[in-house]
Amino acid sequence: MPVNIYDVAKKAGLSVVTVSRVLNNSSTVRDYNRQKVLKAMEELDYKPNAAARSLAKGDTGMIGLILPTIDDPFMSQVLFAVERAAREKGMFLVTAFAPGCEEPGYANPVSLFRENRVDGILILSPVKNEEYILELKKNGFPFVLLDQHHSAVQAPSVTVDNFYGGYQATARLIAAGFKRIAHISGSDIYESSAQRLEGYKQALRDHGLEIAEELIASGNFTIAGGYEALAGWIERGQLPEAVFAADDNTAFGVIDAARKFRISIPAELSVIGYDDHPFGSMLHPALSTVRQPTPELGKQGVELLLNVLSGKVKRAVTITLKPEVVLRDTTPAK
Amino acid sequence: MPVNIYDVAKKAGLSVVTVSRVLNNSSTVRDYNRQKVLKAMEELDYKPNAAARSLAKGDTGMIGLILPTIDDPFMSQVLFAVERAAREKGMFLVTAFAPGCEEPGYANPVSLFRENRVDGILILSPVKNEEYILELKKNGFPFVLLDQHHSAVQAPSVTVDNFYGGYQATARLIAAGFKRIAHISGSDIYESSAQRLEGYKQALRDHGLEIAEELIASGNFTIAGGYEALAGWIERGQLPEAVFAADDNTAFGVIDAARKFRISIPAELSVIGYDDHPFGSMLHPALSTVRQPTPELGKQGVELLLNVLSGKVKRAVTITLKPEVVLRDTTPAK
DNA sequence: CTGAAAGCGCTTACAG
DNA sequence: CTGAAAGCGCTTACAG
């Protein structure tokens, strides 16, 4: 039942080599013969066998994406962008989750590359220097890091400038005239959190504002974290004028707490989040935020990986994308 | 550099057949020899080549998941569950998006199966009778439908009982003493929407309540849809006592609108959503909802597909999962 | 319990 | 521009 390349060759009255050539768009095929082959394939409803091609050629036409979780629009947006970019390049996407240390019994997706199931791997937001990354490196397996800044690993990567994002968000708040600007950071295991915090601090310094440790809270990138941080400040009588939250979840928690404590936004408190969560623009008040270039991140990641695979890129280049501040209703209308 | 099965055989002083046997956990290998092979593999850091295995065995060890989008926690939760279940069964997951008619230029993920890249496919929430599903069926390619009810396609599937969910949600509202219970439905292209609506109607009927057409709005599964539906009722002086929203996004929109119009929840208006969106339990008021068994959906889907692949399941069985009402703070404390 | 041989469906030099 | 031959790295009957 399954028709193979010999069936096509026979039907077309040519050799399998020629059929293989039209399959691979080789230019050295007489157009007349190409048509015959195409016609035979059509009539036989022939589809090449991917495994046989892989075995013969040594590549798979697939790339892998390893990500920590998917419980966040940022992750899923990148996944979507990656899949799209991969498909546009004719590659399929194998997705594997690697929750990391947080979940012990969960095997690392090593066999994904150790068995040559994919040609290369994209690793999104590795939570720390996972040992499998080191292993990839040691084995010379092609991979690209997405959204990470662990200087410890030298590898091709495309990242978003989190320092810049943190700096810009804070600068906007300063420009609006605020002095008491708080920050709620994310999880320590993500480098991005530390960098947004640094951007916040630097913006304060550059504008001659003091860094008040009591206005820096830890929020763990969660709604609850944002809620508790604001509640804490309120209870201690330290309500800031504005808060830059390390992500939108945190910002939603801040808004939720503000509502609870009857603090009006943005009249009494301004808020800027990070990520541009879809809900941010749909709920009231619409959340001001720092938009991550997720489609670009996915696209550039795939392109970089393909360039690594083709040998065009040999060194550990880093492509840095800029996020963009989007001001909506949780900051003063200027 | 790449070590193959012959290298292992030589090192172990045995034939490749024996190596292959230990690779496939064949029981007919003398334990002493098995150890020798294992040791050789270890020392050589041997990893079997997936393409060669696929070609020889005729299967790939991969399954595909086709989903319309990923911009919804329901989708991503199912994706996560599917990946997890697949990995537990030793399979890898190829993910492909098929936005369907909504996005023309986007190629159908046909080559995923036409080139035998995967052994079988899981199709999540097909928006309608996509032609590729018909093609799969015609070709006898193994697939399982997740979360769909298109009676037009006879195929193995695992679904969630949306009628039941709609019925239960409405019944809870009725039990709380409400008479004017509204419903905001989802998108017509999803069968689930129609079924939740039917459940709502049936619950009303069963309890002797009238179905008021003016209390049935269309919300498109969006925050804006929920917002506008409630705003419409308010403006027309038709505020219901309670609303059953077709999903949590819609419910969030209702809550948002209620806040805007200063309608207190649940004192003046009760709300039940659908899906158990992670935000539902984290924001205030905590959203009452109908929880979908997403982990189970993914797990059962993978298992059913594997049973189809092994020939254990031949007919178009349907596994139906029950959703569960979760009452929180947007409905009266009983 | 073990192995020689053939085969899975392609592609890649190498000739012509 | 076209094709015969070898090879990619495994597994599967078939013998023994």
Side-chain angles (χ1 to χ4, degrees):
Chain A
M1 154 106 213
V3 13
N4 65 25
I5 199 170
Y6 286 91
D7 301 322
V8 176
K10 184 187 292 179
K11 180 129 193 162
L14 290 157
S15 77
V16 296
V17 179
T18 303
V19 176
S20 174
R21 288 204 177 94
V22 347
L23 228 37
N24 293 288
N25 292 311
S26 165
S27 56
T28 66
V29 175
R30 196 172 307 212
D31 194 55
Y32 175 67
N33 286 334
R34 179 186 304 278
Q35 296 309 327
K36 282 208 292 192
V37 170
L38 257 15
K39 183 151 169 291
M41 292 207 236
E42 174 77 38
E43 290 178 16
L44 262 24
D45 194 30
Y46 167 74
K47 292 298 158 184
N49 177 294
R53 284 184 102 158
S54 294
L55 182 57
K57 295 176 60 168
D59 63 32
T60 66
M62 309 197 128
I63 61 177
L65 173 65
I66 295 178
L67 56 175
T69 59
I70 187 78
D71 58 10
D72 188 294
F74 173 73
M75 301 288 174
S76 44
Q77 281 171 16
V78 174
L79 165 61
F80 188 81
V82 165
E83 194 269 351
R84 188 167 197 109
R87 285 272 285 287
E88 273 168 14
K89 299 290 185 179
M91 314 278 290
F92 282 97
L93 215 219
V94 179
T95 307
F97 295 104
C101 47
E102 296 167 44
E103 211 155 334
Y106 205 67
N108 278 334
V110 283
S111 45
L112 190 59
F113 54 88
R114 305 234 31 204
E115 296 181 6
N116 288 305
R117 288 181 176 282
V118 296
D119 297 332
I121 295 183
L122 252 19
I123 302 175
L124 177 59
S125 303
V127 294
K128 51 168 202 163
N129 292 321
E130 306 270 18
E131 78 273 33
Y132 68 83
I133 296 183
L134 270 14
E135 192 182 341
L136 281 173
K137 190 147 195 200
K138 201 183 67 188
N139 295 346
F141 195 93
F143 70 102
V144 162
L145 264 19
L146 251 36
D147 187 46
Q148 76 99 38
H149 285 259
H150 296 275
S151 39
V153 179
Q154 284 288 334
S157 54
V158 13
T159 73
V160 181
D161 193 337
N162 286 293
F163 176 89
Y164 175 88
Y167 190 101
Q168 291 300 317
T170 308
R172 294 305 189 93
L173 259 11
I174 295 171
F178 300 122
K179 308 279 186 216
R180 282 178 55 76
I181 301 171
H183 177 59
I184 305 173
S185 68
S187 310
D188 286 342
I189 55 170
Y190 288 104
E191 192 89 359
S192 59
S193 176
Q195 292 168 202
R196 290 171 199 174
L197 171 60
E198 276 315 308
Y200 157 83
K201 287 182 175 173
Q202 191 59 44
L204 255 29
R205 279 189 215 104
D206 286 357
H207 293 82
L209 292 177
E210 177 188 344
I211 295 170
E213 286 303 331
E214 78 272 13
L215 288 185
I216 299 178
S218 179
N220 207 223
F221 288 138
T222 63
I223 291 179
Y227 188 100
E228 281 154 25
L230 188 69
W233 284 318
I234 292 171
E235 282 160 15
R236 280 179 255 112
Q238 300 176 155
L239 182 70
E241 296 170 322
V243 10
F244 162 47
D247 84 343
D248 286 348
N249 288 338
T250 308
F252 290 132
V254 169
I255 294 173
D256 200 36
R259 200 131 51 199
K260 165 91 167 186
F261 290 94
R262 307 204 169 279
I263 288 166
S264 167
I265 293 177
E268 299 168 78
L269 177 72
S270 285
V271 181
I272 292 190
Y274 207 108
D275 277 354
D276 196 18
H277 188 292
F279 277 17
S281 58
M282 316 200 76
L283 259 11
H284 297 85
L287 181 63
S288 294
T289 191
V290 180
R291 176 181 296 155
Q292 301 245 44
T294 48
E296 202 56 18
L297 187 59
K299 187 160 179 282
Q300 299 264 7
V302 170
E303 286 175 5
L304 179 55
L305 181 58
L306 260 27
N307 284 335
V308 169
L309 292 178
S310 70
K312 272 188 217 155
V313 169
K314 294 212 160 299
R315 312 255 303 293
V317 297
T318 294
I319 296 172
T320 303
L321 271 22
K322 295 286 187 206
E324 172 198 6
V325 175
V326 179
L327 262 23
R328 291 194 280 241
D329 303 336
T330 58
T331 41
K334 55 158 295 181
Chain B
M1 151 111 212
V3 14
N4 65 24
I5 200 170
Y6 285 92
D7 301 321
V8 176
K10 184 186 293 178
K11 179 130 193 161
L14 289 158
S15 78
V16 297
V17 178
T18 303
V19 176
S20 175
R21 287 205 177 95
V22 347
L23 228 37
N24 293 288
N25 293 311
S26 167
S27 55
T28 65
V29 177
R30 194 172 309 212
D31 195 54
Y32 174 68
N33 286 334
R34 180 186 303 278
Q35 296 311 327
K36 283 208 292 193
V37 170
L38 257 16
K39 182 152 169 290
M41 291 204 229
E42 175 75 40
E43 291 179 16
L44 262 25
D45 194 30
Y46 167 74
K47 292 297 156 185
N49 178 292
R53 285 185 101 158
S54 294
L55 182 55
K57 294 176 59 167
D59 63 33
T60 66
M62 308 196 132
I63 61 177
L65 173 65
I66 295 178
L67 55 176
T69 59
I70 189 76
D71 59 10
D72 188 293
F74 173 73
M75 301 289 174
S76 43
Q77 282 170 15
V78 174
L79 165 61
F80 187 80
V82 165
E83 195 268 349
R84 185 165 200 113
R87 286 270 286 287
E88 272 168 15
K89 300 289 186 181
M91 314 279 289
F92 283 97
L93 216 219
V94 179
T95 307
F97 295 103
C101 49
E102 296 165 45
E103 210 155 334
Y106 205 67
N108 278 336
V110 283
S111 43
L112 191 58
F113 56 89
R114 307 236 26 204
E115 295 182 4
N116 289 304
R117 287 182 177 281
V118 295
D119 297 331
I121 295 183
L122 251 20
I123 303 175
L124 177 60
S125 302
V127 295
K128 51 167 201 166
N129 291 322
E130 305 271 18
E131 79 272 31
Y132 68 84
I133 296 183
L134 269 15
E135 191 180 342
L136 280 175
K137 189 146 194 200
K138 202 183 64 187
N139 295 346
F141 195 93
F143 70 102
V144 161
L145 264 17
L146 252 36
D147 186 46
Q148 76 98 41
H149 285 258
H150 295 275
S151 39
V153 179
Q154 284 289 333
S157 54
V158 13
T159 74
V160 181
D161 193 338
N162 287 292
F163 176 88
Y164 175 88
Y167 190 100
Q168 291 300 318
T170 310
R172 294 303 189 94
L173 261 11
I174 295 170
F178 300 122
K179 308 280 185 213
R180 283 178 55 77
I181 301 170
H183 177 59
I184 306 172
S185 68
S187 310
D188 287 343
I189 56 169
Y190 287 103
E191 192 90 358
S192 59
S193 176
Q195 292 169 200
R196 290 171 199 174
L197 171 61
E198 276 316 308
Y200 157 83
K201 287 182 175 173
Q202 192 59 44
L204 255 30
R205 278 190 215 105
D206 285 356
H207 293 83
L209 292 177
E210 179 188 342
I211 295 169
E213 286 302 332
E214 77 271 15
L215 288 184
I216 299 177
S218 179
N220 206 224
F221 288 138
T222 62
I223 291 179
Y227 187 100
E228 280 155 26
L230 188 69
W233 284 318
I234 291 171
E235 281 161 14
R236 280 179 256 113
Q238 299 175 156
L239 182 70
E241 296 168 323
V243 10
F244 162 47
D247 83 344
D248 286 347
N249 287 339
T250 308
F252 290 132
V254 169
I255 294 172
D256 199 37
R259 199 132 49 201
K260 165 92 168 187
F261 290 95
R262 307 205 169 277
I263 288 166
S264 168
I265 292 177
E268 298 169 79
L269 177 72
S270 285
V271 182
I272 292 189
Y274 207 108
D275 278 353
D276 195 18
H277 188 292
F279 277 18
S281 59
M282 318 201 74
L283 260 11
H284 296 84
L287 181 63
S288 295
T289 190
V290 180
R291 176 181 298 153
Q292 302 245 44
T294 48
E296 203 54 20
L297 188 59
K299 186 160 179 284
Q300 300 264 6
V302 170
E303 284 174 8
L304 180 55
L305 181 57
L306 258 27
N307 284 335
V308 169
L309 292 178
S310 70
K312 273 187 219 157
V313 169
K314 293 211 160 299
R315 312 254 304 292
V317 298
T318 294
I319 295 172
T320 303
L321 271 22
K322 295 286 187 205
E324 170 198 7
V325 175
V326 178
L327 261 23
R328 290 194 281 240
D329 304 336
T330 57
T331 42
K334 56 156 298 184

